[in-house]
Amino acid sequence: MQTTSTPTHCPYCALQCGMNLSPTPEGGVEVTERADFPVNRGALCGKGRTAPEVLSSRVRLTSPLVRSGGTLVPATWDEALDRIAGELARVRAEHGPDALGVFGGGGLTNEKAYTLGKFARVVLGTSQIDYNGRFCMSSAAAGGIKAFGLDRGLPFPMEDIPRTGCVILVGSNLAETMPPSLRFFNELKENGGTLIVVDPRRTKTAEQADLHLMPRPGTDLALALGLLHLVVAEGRVDEEYVRERTSGWEEARAAAMAHWPEYVERITGVSVPQLRETVRMFCEPEAAMVLTARGPEQQSKGTDTVGAWINLCLATGRAGRPLSGYGCLTGQGNGQGGREHGQKADQLPGYRKLDDPAARAHVAAVWGVDPDSLPGPGRSAYELLDALGTDIRSLLLMGSNPVVSAPRAAHIEERLKSLDFLAVCDVVLSETAALADVVLPVTQWAEETGTTTNLEGRVLLRRRALTPPEGVRSDLEVMRELAARLGVEKGFPTDAEEVFEELRRASAGGPADYSGITYRRLAEENGVFWPCPALEGDDAHPGTPRLFLDRFATPDGRARFVPVSHRPTAEEPDDDYPVLLTTGRVVAQYQSGAQTRRVDELNAAAPGPFVELHPRLAARLGAAEGDPVAVVSRRGRAVAPARITTGIRPDTVFMPFHWPGEGRANTLTNPALDPTSRMPEFKVCAVRVENASS
């Protein structure tokens, strides 16, 4: 038995907290503190502490399952793989390669995400691949690329946060979604800095703020524009910075000036005095930051909303300078790396664009294929799921649970059921896997080695700490076996380091250049920040913890203002649906809950869904604390117990989205898409609320 602990990282959120895994006498592992990793310094939330619980054979899959007579029954690996390969080949022969869909996950390691993109394009020849990270930070990515020419969640390390002067935190409840990160904001306040939280709820994070703004859901764009208007009106623009480091200011300025404070107050519900105080707190220190999360991003105007907050940073000289900048708090464990290396519909490894001839030629050379053989960009995540059973007849799904996590989830569940064939690779029998024709049990974080990229752009090595159960294989083995059965014998290694070496070559010269990063470096260092190109000779590039200090990643090196204007949400309240719904997470559960709902300690802390509503709304319904409340949208109905609090706007209700069944929040959510990022509008839709106790 192994007797030494293994340094590794948490399998959950994008902090990728450091931890040690130590062997137990029973042959498992337990989590112990790893204080040397700078992002969490040993601190862990309950999800991280209990992560080994999901390794147990009591809760996880240990045998392939094949549907027979309407029931999933155990099968051998050869039976399961032969069935998948045969069905994929049949559908391709009958309907063409784009009848095959591939759907990935933001929790896959870089090696698995890279291989999945390669498998879809080289083996299947399909353009129809995307992943659930499209639901995470695609709007922030699109906004960052428009303004800066490059997207990396945070362009600076977390350690810079306590040393800035002010942080505006927009739509993030990190006290529950990323609890170990809260210490950076506590240290900010201890150092004399200030924290402004923008959220329609009085969350645990908002309780820590020096100023809490409670805008009406879906109005973050107007709020940012109103703040920029005041920056101009009060003479707080950094004219020298704007002149020397940006372009497009006049157009953005004109757009912002149409959003005067009283007008913004009417739209958002945030008072003019609060708007003015926000501007003062943000502009008076020498340095400041804006950090956004899913609140402003998961909207049908999320890219424009991010752009407006970036414009505020640019106008005040708060980007590309020490201790200042705009950043996005990535949600999923490998949400950053997952989209950099090819499982997104329009991208190739290294964050290259799939429709760029030079990018296609470079990656095709690494893969040993003709560039013309690579398909073009395919559908975005929701559009791909919506097409299941019509244009797309078969789906291979890895590491995602759209039955719970997709918007308009009841519709997506029906689309999954309408497929000719569904194959799922997962650790547990999720709600989506339960619909599959074949389910493959795959290894998870502690049973495999691989890399992830956290929200700072820090590439990390997660090390194998124990042997997986008999009957479980890695996703890399699955893709190698399927590729061979489909006629591609080479190019799909199962050793993660060998895959990473190929990824290095494929990413070389791209925006997300990993070519100077090796497993040896990652084993010796606490991660390496990309871009990190390979250098000639023996010199090693140090990585790039802080982006844009000298120039932005645009052709002329200047950041670009993007003029934007407020517009309503895709679905405004009316007489039939007079209330707004917003959704989010709770501290004890994670994403669709497929893993955390199998941990007793976490279920005891958060056993099920609820509807958070203001006492005035509860009184109108005649609902008391704990009474069943129905929330109804144009897409469906969800029922959960009432949780009554003054910490939410009277015109808004909140539901967490971790549970399936009657209380599934995503039954209600609106799939209206941002025109640029194709992000669905998870964060706001019109509903009515009913007392369901009678």
Side-chain angles (χ1 to χ4, degrees):
M1 185 184 81
Q2 178 182 329
T3 58
T4 58
S5 64
T6 303
T8 189
H9 296 272
C10 179
Y12 291 115
C13 82
L15 285 180
Q16 287 296 280
C17 291
M19 58 170 61
N20 288 317
L21 293 181
S22 300
T24 64
E26 296 78 22
V29 291
E30 63 180 355
V31 171
T32 56
E33 182 177 303
R34 180 183 166 192
D36 68 307
F37 188 61
V39 174
N40 65 309
R41 300 179 198 163
L44 292 167
C45 71
K47 295 185 291 292
R49 285 189 297 98
T50 60
E53 294 294 315
V54 188
L55 298 168
S56 168
S57 297
R58 179 179 63 87
V59 299
R60 57 97 58 84
L61 294 168
T62 56
S63 171
L65 303 174
V66 172
R67 191 166 297 279
S68 176
T71 303
L72 286 171
V73 297
T76 68
W77 269 94
D78 281 340
E79 289 170 339
L81 291 167
D82 287 346
R83 174 85 177 272
I84 296 173
E87 289 293 331
L88 294 177
R90 179 190 64 79
V91 169
R92 182 171 61 182
E94 294 178 2
H95 303 285
D98 274 357
L100 304 177
V102 177
F103 199 83
L108 300 181
T109 62
N110 290 319
E111 292 80 2
K112 291 192 283 190
Y114 170 84
T115 303
L116 187 61
K118 181 180 179 181
F119 178 85
R121 296 180 175 105
V122 172
V123 178
L124 301 181
T126 183
S127 67
Q128 301 303 305
I129 175 172
D130 210 82
Y131 82 126
N132 63 14
R134 177 81 69 169
F135 299 158
C136 177
M137 57 175 292
S138 56
S139 292
I145 290 170
K146 282 187 175 185
F148 306 133
L150 183 69
D151 153 50
R152 195 180 83 187
L154 295 182
F156 43 74
M158 296 285 285
E159 65 190 40
D160 283 1
I161 291 172
R163 300 189 292 142
T164 194
C166 177
V167 173
I168 302 179
L169 188 62
V170 189
S172 171
N173 182 17
L174 52 81
E176 297 202 62
T177 60
M178 298 179 171
S181 71
L182 191 61
R183 68 173 179 83
F184 292 105
F185 298 88
N186 292 334
E187 291 173 12
L188 166 74
K189 296 177 66 177
E190 291 168 3
N191 292 340
T194 55
L195 174 63
I196 301 169
V197 170
V198 180
D199 199 302
R201 302 169 59 225
R202 183 73 175 173
T203 64
K204 292 181 179 179
T205 306
E207 290 173 356
Q208 309 301 313
D210 298 283
L211 178 63
H212 176 206
L213 309 181
M214 296 181 70
R216 182 176 178 266
T219 64
D220 309 88
L221 174 54
L223 177 63
L225 287 163
L227 297 175
L228 183 54
H229 177 110
L230 285 171
V231 165
V232 176
E234 295 178 3
R236 297 181 184 271
V237 175
D238 189 331
E239 301 286 358
E240 181 181 0
Y241 174 91
V242 168
R243 183 171 58 253
E244 294 183 355
R245 297 206 61 190
T246 73
S247 62
W249 167 233
E250 290 305 319
E251 294 84 355
R253 178 185 180 279
M257 295 314 288
H259 299 77
W260 60 95
E262 292 77 12
Y263 172 57
V264 170
E265 181 182 72
R266 289 199 300 273
I267 294 171
T268 65
V270 178
S271 70
V272 173
Q274 284 185 313
L275 295 173
R276 294 190 184 278
E277 179 65 3
T278 300
V279 169
R280 183 195 67 78
M281 292 170 65
F282 184 67
C283 291
E284 284 189 353
E286 291 186 7
M289 299 174 179
V290 172
L291 303 178
T292 66
R294 306 302 79 76
E297 297 163 16
Q298 287 181 328
Q299 299 183 27
S300 60
K301 52 181 183 291
T303 301
D304 284 357
T305 302
V306 166
W309 288 104
I310 291 175
N311 287 350
L312 178 66
C313 291
L314 294 176
T316 53
R318 304 330 201 164
R321 284 179 167 173
L323 307 182
S324 287
Y326 163 79
C328 164
L329 296 169
T330 308
Q332 295 188 77
N334 196 31
Q336 181 71 52
R339 71 179 178 283
E340 292 169 2
H341 299 302
Q343 65 172 334
K344 192 161 171 277
D346 57 349
Q347 286 177 194
L348 288 169
Y351 224 144
R352 289 180 159 91
K353 298 298 289 183
L354 186 54
D355 56 6
D356 176 0
R360 294 170 66 87
H362 174 86
V363 174
V366 174
W367 288 350
V369 300
D370 185 338
D372 292 338
S373 71
L374 298 177
R379 293 177 173 93
S380 71
Y382 180 79
E383 292 165 304
L384 189 158
L385 295 172
D386 189 40
L388 299 180
T390 57
D391 294 346
I392 300 173
R393 310 297 291 268
S394 177
L395 182 70
L396 174 64
L397 186 146
M398 287 188 170
S400 185
N401 188 18
V403 166
V404 179
S405 63
R408 197 185 173 196
H411 170 71
I412 297 305
E413 184 174 355
E414 290 304 311
R415 302 289 359 118
L416 285 159
K417 291 177 179 177
S418 73
L419 283 164
D420 291 1
F421 182 75
L422 172 63
V424 173
C425 300
D426 210 331
V427 172
V428 298
L429 190 66
S430 70
E431 288 72 24
T432 303
L435 303 179
D437 297 287
V438 178
V439 182
L440 299 180
V442 292
T443 52
Q444 51 183 310
W445 61 291
E447 300 163 348
E448 60 187 14
T449 294
T451 62
T452 61
T453 306
N454 81 344
L455 78 173
E456 307 165 297
R458 188 193 301 252
V459 184
L460 304 164
L461 183 63
R462 286 205 312 216
R463 298 165 174 87
R464 175 170 166 159
L466 73 166
T467 302
E470 184 178 353
V472 173
R473 299 186 184 179
S474 74
D475 295 285
L476 295 179
E477 290 177 284
V478 168
M479 287 183 276
R480 192 271 307 276
E481 291 293 332
L482 289 177
R485 283 168 168 79
L486 291 166
V488 180
E489 297 285 347
K490 297 181 179 180
F492 289 87
T494 59
D495 178 75
E497 186 171 7
E498 187 177 347
V499 175
F500 190 79
E501 287 299 304
E502 183 179 301
L503 183 158
R504 291 176 61 205
R505 298 194 302 275
S507 73
D513 190 335
Y514 283 32
S515 61
I517 305 174
T518 64
Y519 267 37
R520 180 177 178 179
R521 282 191 69 178
L522 295 177
E524 295 172 349
E525 304 176 34
N526 269 322
V528 178
F529 293 85
W530 71 261
C532 182
L535 301 179
E536 295 291 335
D538 296 330
D539 292 334
H541 189 286
T544 315
R546 295 169 181 85
L547 297 172
F548 313 138
L549 295 181
D550 299 318
R551 56 176 285 127
F552 294 95
T554 56
D556 62 3
R558 291 172 171 265
R560 297 173 291 216
F561 282 96
V562 178
V564 294
S565 296
H566 170 71
R567 61 181 185 274
T569 58
E571 191 174 79
E572 288 288 292
D574 57 20
D575 291 343
D576 293 326
Y577 302 94
V579 177
L580 292 170
L581 167 71
T582 192
T583 65
R585 285 170 49 190
V586 297
V587 67
Q589 301 289 353
Y590 180 72
Q591 304 300 71
S592 74
Q595 293 164 283
T596 51
R597 285 187 276 112
R598 288 167 167 79
V599 178
D600 292 341
E601 178 181 329
L602 301 179
N603 276 333
F610 57 87
V611 179
E612 189 176 275
L613 66 164
H614 192 275
R616 293 213 298 265
L617 178 56
R620 289 203 300 272
L621 298 174
E625 180 78 13
D627 283 352
V629 170
V631 183
V632 185
S633 78
R634 290 176 174 85
R635 289 151 297 280
R637 183 176 191 264
V639 179
R643 184 173 294 182
I644 301 171
T645 173
T646 57
I648 192 168
R649 292 174 55 96
D651 59 2
T652 301
V653 294
F654 167 84
M655 291 187 71
F657 53 66
H658 309 290
W659 289 273
E662 186 180 46
R664 180 174 59 185
N666 278 319
T667 297
L668 309 168
T669 49
N670 191 354
L673 301 180
D674 180 288
T676 302
S677 69
R678 315 310 287 170
M679 167 75 84
E681 193 153 58
F682 285 101
K683 278 297 179 280
V684 55
C685 69
V687 299
R688 66 173 178 267
V689 188
E690 302 168 346
N691 190 329
S693 59
S694 56

